[in-house]
Amino acid sequence: MLEKIAHIKQEFSSDLAQANDAQALENLRIKYLARKGSIAALFYELKSVSPEEKPALGKALNELRTFAQSAYDDAKLKLEQSSDSTELPFDVTLPGRPVSVGTKHPITQTIEEIVRIFKGMGFTVATGPEVETDYYNFGALNFPPDHPARDMQDTFFIAKDILLRTHTSPVQIRYMEQHKPPVRVVIPGRVYRNEAVSARSHVLFHQVEGLYVDEGVTMGDLKGTLVAFVKQFYGSSVKYKFRPTFFPFTEPSADMYISCFICNGKGCSMCKYAGWLEILGSGMVHPHLYENVGYDTEKYTGFAFGMGVERIAILRHGIDDIRLFTENDLRFLKQF
Ligand code: PHE
């Protein structure tokens, strides 16, 4: 029987050397290692050998089985690894799928263009928090407590003195607290107002604030700066006018209008047949603001302005519904 064991070992080795694909290896396993294979058959024969011979034969047979099993396992692993490296599970010669690149939101584009023009006139950019205190949004901006001027803006309150800012003007105060004059800064950002959502108004929109404070700044500087801006933004043939208005934080205050570029001032649905479009609020910074931030009110003067970004983008692109900006509809967004 020892001879038989040696013979099977030899036969197994030569079969293994020739088994170089998965099917041949499987055949090898069935022939030698399976329940009805030749090694199992030898174990069956072992039952009928004499008790004296049994231990030595049993040992040799066990060795054969271990040897065959591990040689088979190694060969199988090797075969799997080599097929991994030559046969990739995908076709590397196929052309790649195009990666779709996003575009900038029209509001972002409009803000970037406004900021670019003011940067060209020496302004820097600052930002501030959207969750504000009553002090920065109203108090420091010269809105007295319980003054009806607060009704101009419907406010989302978070707690008694904490709110979502209703304009970017609080950043004027924050910026002046941190910087001494000369100050020349634009402040883009989101603002919130508690209004019914419709085609014309929304609870969330954007503003770009401007602030210029130095010695000897006049209303002439305000007009010159804003006229230079509208000419760059809307083209040099645009007509404009300033009209007196009221803000608690500026005195005097003026709204700026430009001639309607849809109808050229004749009157159309865009300008509601007025021929003019209001594009921003502005004014000379009220001295109370300087007191609140510790500026010398005798030494410094300045102007501030604030414009609604959605309004400007709507007018520019002829968009008829402000809600489109927040609906994430790619058919709308891809047009810009
Ligand atoms: N904060 C004002 C608004 O929201 C705009 C403004 C800013 C007016 C700065 C004057 C000066 O309507």
Side-chain angles (χ1 to χ4, degrees), residues 152-153 166-169 172 193 205 207 209-210 247 249-250 253-255 280-283 304-307:
M152 286 165 70
Q153 301 172 347
T166 58
H167 50 179
T168 42
S169 302
Q172 288 188 32
R193 289 189 198 174
F205 58 101
Q207 289 186 331
E209 188 89 7
F247 298 107
F249 36 94
T250 49
S253 307
D255 283 330
L280 57 84
S282 66
F305 59 87
M307 57 185 98

